[in-house]
Amino acid sequence: MTSATSQAQPAVAAVIGGTRGLGHQLAVRCRDAGLRTFVYGRSVHDLPPERSRGFEPRELDLCDADSVASADVSLPGPAYVFWVAGAFLKKPLAKTEDAEIDGLTDLLLTGPLKLLRRMLAAAPSSVRLVTIASSSGWKRRENESLYCALKAAQATATRGLVPELVEAHPANQVTLIQPGGLAVPDFHTGLEIDYGTMMDPAEVAGIIWDLAHSQRESFREVQILRSREPGQEGVPQVSFGPRLPEPPL
C-alpha cells in the first residue's frame, strides 16, 4: 500500500453489495462523480442495463467461502471501499435456525472481513473505507438480537481497523456510518412498514458520499437517523460521534 507513484492514478470505487438499496445508490454516486466503479454482488450480472450502466460488475457471494477467496480484489489506484452488503432478520433467537445464523453471520460480518483482508493486502495505494453499519447496533430492538449483534460487531471491527490502516498508509481513512430507517422494501421482507416515514436511500447516499469525499481526519463516525417530527418524517438527521447502547425494554 506504499507505492508513491500510484497516488497519481485516478481514484476508483468498490461497493460491496451494490446491487440494490443504499449500496446501489452509493455506486451511482461514485459513477456520477467520475470514479471507475466496481460493484460486488451475487446478482450483479442480472442487473438490467439501465441499473448497471457505467459499472464494472464483480460477482461475489459473501456466504460462499470459495467465492470470497476467488473474487477479483484488484483496485488500480486510490480506492473508496464501501462495505454495504446486508440483510435483515427479525426473529426470536429461540426460533432462529442454525442455517439462518450461519448465513447472516457470513453475509454481514465474516464474508466481508475476509474480502477486506484480501483487498487491503493487495491495495497498491491508499484506501478510504466507508462502512455502512446500523443504528440497530446501539438502539433497543425486539426480536433482532442476531442482527443487532452483527451490526455492532461490524462497527467495532471498523473502529479497530483504523490504527492498522493508518499504520499501513498515512493517507488511509475510515468512515463509519450508522444509518437507521431506510425505505428499502425488499430489505424488510415480510414486515408491515410505512415507508413514507423512512429515509430515501438516494438522499442518504448523497450525504454519505459528501461526508466521505470531504473527510480529512483519519476516522469519522456519523449517525444518520430519520426525523420523527410531524411534517418532517423521514428527513435525515446527521450527527457525529458514537452512541452508547440503549438499555433493553
Side-chain angles (χ1 to χ4, degrees):
M1 283 199 241
T2 57
S3 171
T5 59
S6 63
Q7 290 295 339
Q9 294 178 308
V12 302
V15 184
I16 305 169
T19 59
R20 63 173 184 158
L22 181 59
H24 178 73
Q25 293 298 331
L26 284 167
V28 169
R29 285 282 173 173
C30 293
R31 179 201 64 193
D32 291 351
L35 274 62
R36 184 179 176 186
T37 303
F38 304 100
V39 173
Y40 289 84
R42 279 181 296 191
S43 58
V44 70
H45 292 294
D46 298 327
L47 287 175
E50 65 272 14
R51 295 192 68 231
S52 60
R53 191 171 293 111
F55 298 154
E56 297 190 35
R58 288 182 172 178
E59 191 167 348
L60 170 70
D61 184 350
L62 290 167
C63 298
D64 184 321
D66 291 337
S67 178
V68 174
S70 62
D72 187 351
V73 295
S74 58
L75 299 173
Y80 290 85
V81 176
F82 293 87
W83 176 2
V84 195
F88 182 68
L89 181 66
K90 189 177 186 69
K91 203 173 191 181
L93 187 62
K95 296 182 179 180
T96 304
E97 303 292 336
D98 286 352
E100 291 176 311
I101 294 175
D102 292 341
L104 200 63
T105 301
D106 286 342
L107 182 62
L108 296 186
L109 188 63
T110 54
L113 285 176
K114 290 176 183 177
L115 185 73
L116 281 173
R117 178 188 62 79
R118 295 186 58 226
M119 277 185 174
L120 296 174
S125 134
S126 61
V127 171
R128 294 190 182 192
L129 173 62
V130 183
T131 294
I132 311 301
S134 172
S135 60
S136 290
W138 57 267
K139 277 182 168 288
R140 65 169 61 93
R141 301 296 192 204
E142 292 184 45
N143 297 326
E144 297 177 22
S145 57
L146 175 61
Y147 177 76
C148 292
L150 291 170
K151 281 300 180 180
Q154 181 187 14
T156 299
T158 298
R159 296 187 194 99
L161 277 170
V162 176
E164 298 179 28
L165 291 182
V166 172
E167 182 179 2
H169 195 298
N172 283 349
Q173 294 175 321
V174 178
T175 311
L176 173 58
I177 306 291
Q178 307 264 37
L182 289 166
V184 184
D186 58 351
F187 183 76
H188 303 94
T189 305
L191 299 181
E192 294 185 5
I193 293 176
D194 180 4
Y195 289 103
T197 65
M198 303 183 82
M199 297 186 294
D200 177 8
E203 183 178 5
V204 173
I207 294 171
I208 293 172
W209 168 254
D210 290 343
L211 287 167
H213 186 62
S214 64
Q215 181 173 327
R216 296 295 176 264
E217 65 270 36
S218 298
F219 175 67
R220 175 185 282 180
E221 182 166 348
V222 185
Q223 314 291 328
I224 306 179
L225 307 177
R226 55 176 169 148
S227 172
R228 298 178 183 272
E229 294 295 322
Q232 296 291 314
E233 294 91 343
V235 174
Q237 297 182 321
V238 179
S239 61
F240 295 86
R243 297 288 186 91
L244 291 174
E246 295 178 345
L249 294 174

